Amino acid sequence: MVARVAGVFDEKLTEAIANSKILVVGAGGIGCEILKNLVLTGFPQIEIIDLDTIDVSNLNRQFLFHKEHVGKSKAQVAKDSALSFNPNVNIIAHHDSVISNDYGVSYFKQFNIVMNALDNRVARNHVNRMCLAANVPLIETGTAGYAGQVELIKKGLTQCYECQPKAPQKTFPGCTIRNTPSEPIHCIVWAKHLFNQLFGEEDPDQDVSPDTADPEAAGEAGASALSSEGTTSGNVERKSTRQWAADTNYDAEKLFTKLFGDDIRYLLSMENLWKKRRPPTPLTWDNLPGKDDTPAQHSGLPDQRVWSVHECAQVFAASCKALQADLAGRPEGDHLVWDKDEKSAMDFVTACANIRAYIFNIPTKSRFEIKSMAGNIIPAIATANAIVAGLAVLRAQSILRGHLAAATSVYLRPKVNHRGQLFVPEKTLTPPNPKCYVCAPKPEVGLACNLKSLTLKELTTAFKDGLNMQAPDATVEGKGLVVLSSEPGETDHNNDKTLEQIGLNDGCALLVDDFLQNYEVRVRLQQEDEEKTWRLVTDADAPMPAPKEEKPANGSNGADEPKPGPSRTRADSDSDMEIIEEDEDETTVKPPKRRRTEMSDEVVELC
Amino acid sequence: MASPSPKSPEQNEKSKQYDRQLRLWGDHGQAALENGHICLINANALGTEIIKSIVLPGVGSVTIIDENIVSDEDIGSNFFLECSSKGLNRGSEALRLLLELNPAVQGHAVQEPPDQILKENPEFFKSFSVVIASSLSERTIQDLSQHLWDINIPFILCRSVGFLSLFRIQLKEHAVIETHPENEQVDLRLDVPFQTLADYLNGFDIDAVELKDHGHIPWIIILYKAVQKWQITNPNSWPMSRKEKNEIRSIVQEFIRKDENGVPINEENFEEALRAVNTALLPTFLPVKIQELIYSSSATNLNKDSSPFWIMCSALRGFIEAEGKGKLPVRGVLPDMTASTEHYIKLQNIYRAQAVIDAEIIYRKVQQIVAQLHCESISEADVKLFCRHTHDLYLIKGTCIATEYQLGGSVASYIARYLEEPDVMMVHYILLRAAEMFRSEHNRAPGDWEPEADIAKLKTCVTKLLSDISCSPFPKDDHIHEMCRYGGAEIHSVSAFLGGCVAQEAIKIVTKQYKPVNNMFIYDGASTNTATFTF
Ligand SMILES: [Zn+2]
């Protein structure tokens, strides 16, 4: 029952809305608002999809959910709440990941518009490709604190989500994480890896034990370290950390002694590492700093005080027990998933990160700060979500009326800029980047690697992580030779062969495609002896076509200079922001520098 | 071995629920919000969308003033009304559903018309942090805005009709201590080190540091030493120009140790020092806008009713003229950097200790002033917060909305000036004002009943307004036609959008953090243009 709208909207729009079908991807802060706006505007057919369940920390903004809904499906509860307002709308809820064979190109084709209200880059990339393949307009949204943005993506008409290279995800060399941390974030990443090793999905790239292959440690010292292995910690390195921990029954003292005593002593034996670094100090369980402190007075939330090492060890022990119990209560072979809002998981990471920081003479941090850094948390509030969702649905109306040119990108700023703008709009749609390796007519990208050492398995990872494919198939261009098949088992026997061994050489091109995404890209292989893993070489890295004169914002002088301060976190729910950095200096007018702040788990490069 | 029973500091339910916003405005911002009391006049779709986004983050309490009865149209456009609400008081019904969003929020519904409250109980408005209103008559807008101006209560007036919407913020005086600038300058005082800092920096010998510690020297020390070395050949000067800064960079490069093969050893702290040359060597200065504040008459002529902000500004002036030797108090915040814990903590303590000393001096001056004026005391925590942000204090002195209706000299010429610009957004202000005038004259919205006949009537209103500001009539009527087509109806997405904007500004005002819009914002959903104006 939507009164009056018929008179307010012109006939064309009223009819377009009545015949429309909309897909909302994500039922978080922005998704809830979009759903409500669509229902109250009279959109008759809506599908909403979200994999998540409701958490307490959602309630400060996701207004379709109340306390009693915690733990339930976001998509389902959002649907029920919206229907209670208007039972005549046809809403279909999917408690599911949008990245699934069930939602192929033909699924996307049935919608007039897809509206993204997502919280991570992987899903955004995927939906971007699905909408390009299905040629459906996509409205992208995001907020970060008081800031936000709405942008239209339409094949051939605008930039796609992947047209501009994203700010590189912060990566840390594996040896920095495992051997020579120097900043709090290194210890936090290590602690998250440790969580996965002990309780989560085991990932060989997330090893937490000393890395004897560290090139810096090479030489005699490394060799002597190797030969000394097996004295204190036994063959721990050869047994899975999980298995070893389980064998000790997750005994906190034993775990502590290995992780913060034996492993550190082992690192100390790699003497080359400490020639120009301050060596770490191994700890002993029953003699920890802060043991005799009286609990300090503090103001604010308890988790805003920095805990002593002794307190950390206690929290470590308690959280280990809790997580062990959680794991034990699950079916055989199941594992935990680290979640910043899960008390024990967050306690565990705080404790381990701080203990390790102490050992390496790195300043320790409060649980509150570590949560920001470990969870890539970006503030999220109801107001900015409401603003962005309102704009998104108004944009959807323009698109339905056929006024695509009016649906330019718009950025909400935390404060009015010197031009008097609270909202900074693009004057026109931004055309696609002809060199984009996703939406160009013939997508192409270079892959720099050492063909002599990169294995086929690693090549698969490059396609999945680098090119955001879900199930890549690859053939050699011109020969039709199948290098990689997404069919299980077909090419597995080659997994450990190097690219050279299977006959690929410098300059040869692979046709790589992903059936689900309906996406094919030509990948040129470039031999680089120095490259330890792989690296994408995109033409998109080259400067964009000449910037338009009428850019909304000023450039950012010297913005390339990293600012001092804690490592900036990236994002969280709803936050995948493209922020136009502005400078107060009015005299220089340069194209805006875009910066997408986003959710991304840190990627660890092996070295 | 027996270990004591393990305990983790408990995180309470509230901090979990509000985690994502505490990272934006902090515990003290949250406390301010929880002490806040928002008054909404008229629970239409716009009004409830505003309150929704203020209830969710946990404002202390909400009062809705609304004497209207729920109609079918309300139910169709307002998410916070149910079919069963029909015929009941709109404010009470909306309040009931809004409070379901957050049980921590207190709510009150008042069923009297605002005019009557203004007449019979004007004191009623004194307890609010912000009053927000929409769909008011011209008369009520003038009376209410004047009253709220007189009693110094922030007021946000908003309108949402069809694709058009605007909000106007009325703040007599609003001081923001925490503006959260995007690029905050560090306050290191390397050009004018205070005694303890000078002692520490001068006592540090980079050359004597062992190789394994060399990579752990904070970049602040590296830069200071580089400047000292530079000053041997450039006595009594400070590196300002690009050339001079490059000279500093070269000196920093020389500090980097070489390995046995003469290759420079890559050390992160030296990289940081090189990157910091541009920003960290800015000379310490007293910003002009802060000078203007502390020497403004509000800060120099205090009286019993002076606000804490002006008392603190006055104390700040006292400090700058005496102990501070022309400089602001030390902020005491050190950025993260590559450094060993000892060096970092040592430096941090030096800056912090000086910040504490400076803040204590200012606090004593505040206490003296408070004692002289016999006014309410100001907490030490407030003074400390003030002292940490003295470099970016921000003050809005607004204007009263009632003056827009009297169209006195400067307002008329301001509007007229903006009506002449291309792509004028000011046109929409005139249209919304004309629709308001129409409503006062005809007791209904233009286009509500007879769209065709109303066009001429609305045009009369527009013409009258334009002649009042000595402007010629609009060359075309299409905007007037459009306004009549709306028939006074709200478009939900427009109200949802504007509701988010108004709530966001209200929270900025209540938490006294971030700079609110000063003072009018207009949105046209048809062209998707926005604009701000300062009336
Ligand atoms: Zn593209």
Side-chain angles (χ1 to χ4, degrees), chain B residues 435-503:
Chain B
E436 211 169 70
M437 188 186 283
F438 184 108
R439 196 185 273 272
S440 298
E441 289 174 6
H442 306 283
N443 255 325
R444 59 185 172 84
D448 208 356
W449 290 349
E450 30 191 333
E452 289 310 312
D454 284 358
I455 288 172
K457 289 179 185 153
L458 182 60
K459 200 174 169 181
T460 313
C461 296
V462 170
T463 310
K464 177 167 186 319
L465 272 169
L466 289 173
S467 81
D468 284 352
I469 55 170
S470 318
C471 274
S472 45
F474 292 155
K476 284 188 290 182
D477 288 348
D478 44 352
H479 287 308
I480 296 171
H481 286 253
E482 189 74 5
M483 178 57 92
C484 284
R485 203 159 54 72
Y486 299 150
E490 290 182 75
I491 291 176
H492 185 81
S493 294
V494 172
S495 289
F497 161 78
L498 193 78
C501 293
V502 171

Side-chain angles (χ1 to χ4, degrees), chain A residues 35-56:
Chain A
L35 185 64
K36 177 211 66 185
N37 293 351
L38 290 173
V39 167
L40 272 99
T41 307
F43 283 83
Q45 292 191 77
I46 305 163
E47 295 202 18
I48 186 159
I49 179 164
D50 197 314
L51 177 64
D52 266 357
T53 52
I54 297 158
D55 182 82
V56 177

Side-chain angles (χ1 to χ4, degrees), chain A residues 128 132 153 158-164 431-440:
Chain A
N128 177 48
L132 290 171
I153 294 170
T158 72
Q159 281 192 6
C160 82
Y161 184 70
E162 297 169 87
C163 266
Q164 291 198 18
N433 175 0
K435 301 264 176 90
C436 174
Y437 68 83
V438 175
C439 72

Side-chain angles (χ1 to χ4, degrees), chain A residues 262-281:
Chain A
D262 297 346
D263 281 359
I264 304 302
R265 272 185 287 277
Y266 186 88
L267 281 175
L268 282 172
S269 74
M270 296 158 74
E271 287 154 20
N272 268 358
L273 294 180
W274 316 113
K275 286 201 170 140
K276 58 184 183 66
R277 277 193 192 88
R278 182 143 342 170
T281 318

